[in-house]
Structures are given as structure tokens and as C-alpha cells.
Amino acid sequence: MKRKIFATSGCLLLLMMGSQHSAQKINFKSHELSSNGYLRTGFGWSDGGQMVNFITPDNMHKFRMGNEANHYAELQFNYRYKNKDSVNLYEVTYMMAKFIPFGSDHYKQFPETTQLYGKINKVVKNANIWVGKRYYDRRNVEMLDYFWINSAQNSQIGIGLENYQIENSGNMNLAFMRFKYGNNDSHSYVTDFRYLDIPVSGHSKVNLLGQYSVKTEDDITNIPKSTGYAVGGWWTYSKKTISNTSTLIFRKGSSITESTYSGKTISENIGNKIMYNLDKASSIDVINNFVYDDQRRHAIQASLTYQYSDFGGGNIVENEIIIDNKVSKNLFSVGFRYLYYINKHFNLALEAGNDYMKNNRSGVEGSLQKVTFSPQVSWDYGYYSRPVLRPFITYAHWSDSFVGNTGVSDFNTRLINKNNGISFGLQLEVWW
């Protein structure tokens, strides 16, 4: 199966290379059809077995290069109708996606529909109205695949007004999303307001976020209704070879999400055990993402992330006795990826990172260090240039408290009693 996937990926690589400088569009009078997508695939081994991920317990992200034991693809189709003045009036977007962990047979399942929405453009002051299921203005740290804002993914449906222009003062966006949980009648609703691109100087802007959410009562699991909110913002700086984003976000109650790949409210229960009291739970995220790229000799991305989570209560033993007053979790991550350009088609890449985790509920505390080297074959200069082919070797070391939970998968348990491991393999990554 691995050979089939990678052979197909090689063909796709050739197709993508041949189309890098040609428009992915088909035009017929007032109608336009285009496509875009993403693909990563490859193969690898860890300690002589199926490749595994090196990630700390309870973490929401990891340093990616040489540390993605999966295949993943997205394919999106976009239809646009244009009037005589070449203004896009109507759009329909459909996207499907597929995630396959190394060693699994998930390839037998049909891809998931991840986006299907329509849009009417420039209704008022260049603002657009959209409705449907979509990824809504996601923001991430690419090196970590860490989506620190992802309000709409996995929603049932949403509706919004985006890009409402404020003269010389940025634009405003308002969205409303509905989520469904399992096969019962529990739902959550999120109102998301953003004021974006407020100019501070010629090279920097400020962006503001406000959310309000409600999760309905769940009669099956006896979870009561909860509410929540999120407030925060991020500052962006961009000038020639440098870009930087600094972020601060506070979340309360039902605005705490289950993962960075979903806008759903985190579950209060795991099994029959209460993990969160959403009436009191909160979290705070501090993120800084820096990129330098001269597109001739050097490029580097450096990131720092910190999250503090308050579970909203203490540990409870089986007889419902509270044995402490407060449970919290700390996650801290710092690292970089450096590229040294040999020429436009070849560069040397080094990624190193340290992740720290302390969970007062599980009593686990420790850190993981990971370093990866890859001589990359790329289409062009540029840190974000794709497609790229990465032969890699990765070494990771983790605390003894993580042994048995780090560097293992359903398809490889060879590192279950170890606190370090080595992976090597080949990865192809394409977006277009």
C-alpha cells in the first residue's frame, strides 16, 4: 500500500511541477472553475518498525518535519460566476479531505466532505455573505501545524459577513456556526467577531477577536448547558525578508475547543470521569511566530508557544470526594527550522524543538527534544515553496515520565519502554 500511495504521489508531483506557472482555471464566458489542494505522503521507519510520531502526552501540536507518520490530502473545487465587469458575484466551494496514519487501512474509507459553502461577493462595501460548511479564516504556525484560531472546522453549518471595509481602518467580519455532538441532541453555537488589519504603522497591523458560545444541555450524559467567550488579538509585522505574528487569546467555558483541528467545545467527560467544569474552566494562549527568508541563501522560522489550561475544578476520586482545589495543565514549546539554500532546487534543512508539559491531573511532567535533518529538493527558492521532497532523519529524546506514551502507535510499540528513538524516511509535500 505504501508503494502504491507514493507512486501515485510521484505522478502528482510531476503534474504539480508542470502546473506551477500555469493557472489552475477553466473559463467559459461568465463561468470559471478552478481547483487547489494539499498533499503530503511518504514512508518511514522508527526503530526498525512502522514510523511513529514523537509528541508529548496531552500536547496540541508537534514539530512537524520528519515527524508526521501519516498521509494527508485535500482537494478543493471552486466555481465562480462573473458579470460583464469581471467581478466575481457568486461562488461555490467544495473540498474533500483524507487522513491515513501509517500502517492503517483508512484508505478504504471515502474522503470526508470538509467544506461545502456558497458565497455572494461585494454585497455592501466589498463585503461578502457566505453560508455553509467551511474552514473559516484559520490561522496557524505552519512549522507546528498549530491552528490557534479555527472557529468553524467540523461545524454543521455557518453563515457570515466578511471583509466589511472600514475606510483606512481595516475590515470587520462576523460569523455564526452550529455544531452537533454525536447522535444525541446536544449542540453548540459560536458567534465569531473579528476586526482585522487595523493599521499601526506602514509595516504592522493589529487584529482583534471576540467570541461568544453556548453549548446546550446533554440529557444522555447529564451534562448541563454551558456558555463561554474568547477575547484576544494578534499583531503582525511584515517588511521585505521578515514577518512576525504575536498572539494572545483568552478562552472561557464552552469557547475552549477540543483540538486545534476543530471548533467544537471540549468534552467535559472522558468515559465516566468529569475532566472539565466548563462553568469555571479557562485557557490562555501566548504565541510568537517569526520568519526570515532572503530567498537566496538563508531562511528560518522560529516559534514560541505557551498554553495554560485551568480545568475548572479539582481531582475527584470514585466516591466523589474532591482531593484538591484546582487542576491545571501547562504546555510550552520553542524551536526553529533553518534552511540553507544551495541553489533554487536544493537546500539543507535543520529543525529542532523542545516541548514541555505539566499536567496536575495526571501527575505527569516532562519534556521532549526533537531534531531533524533533511536535504530538501524543492521547486524554487522560498521557505514556503512547494512541492518539496524531504529525505529525513529524526532523533528524539523524552523524559522518563513519558515512557510508554511517547513514540508508540497502534502499529509500532518497539519504543514503549524507551525514552529516545530515531526515525528516517522520505516525505513529499505539495500545495497548489
Side-chain angles (χ1 to χ4, degrees), residues 53 55-57 364 398 401-409 415-416 418:
N53 296 314
I55 184 170
T56 67
V364 175
W398 51 92
S401 58
F402 294 169
V403 170
N405 293 314
T406 295
V408 297
S409 74
L415 298 174
I416 196 167
K418 298 182 180 181

Side-chain angles (χ1 to χ4, degrees), residues 19 29 40 55 59 72 95 118 134 136-137 157 167 177 181 195 208 240 244 255 303 328 331 351 366 379 381 420 423:
S19 63
K29 294 184 179 180
R40 70 168 177 262
I55 184 170
N59 210 340
Y72 180 70
M95 188 176 84
R134 70 175 290 191
Y136 175 65
D137 191 23
I157 194 169
E167 188 174 355
M177 281 76 68
Y181 297 82
Y195 191 0
L208 303 176
K240 295 183 179 178
N244 189 82
S255 286
S303 70
S328 62
L331 297 170
E351 182 179 278
W379 179 252
Y381 290 111
N420 64 89
S423 296

Side-chain angles (χ1 to χ4, degrees), residues 32 338 359:
E32 177 185 288
Y338 171 72
N359 189 329

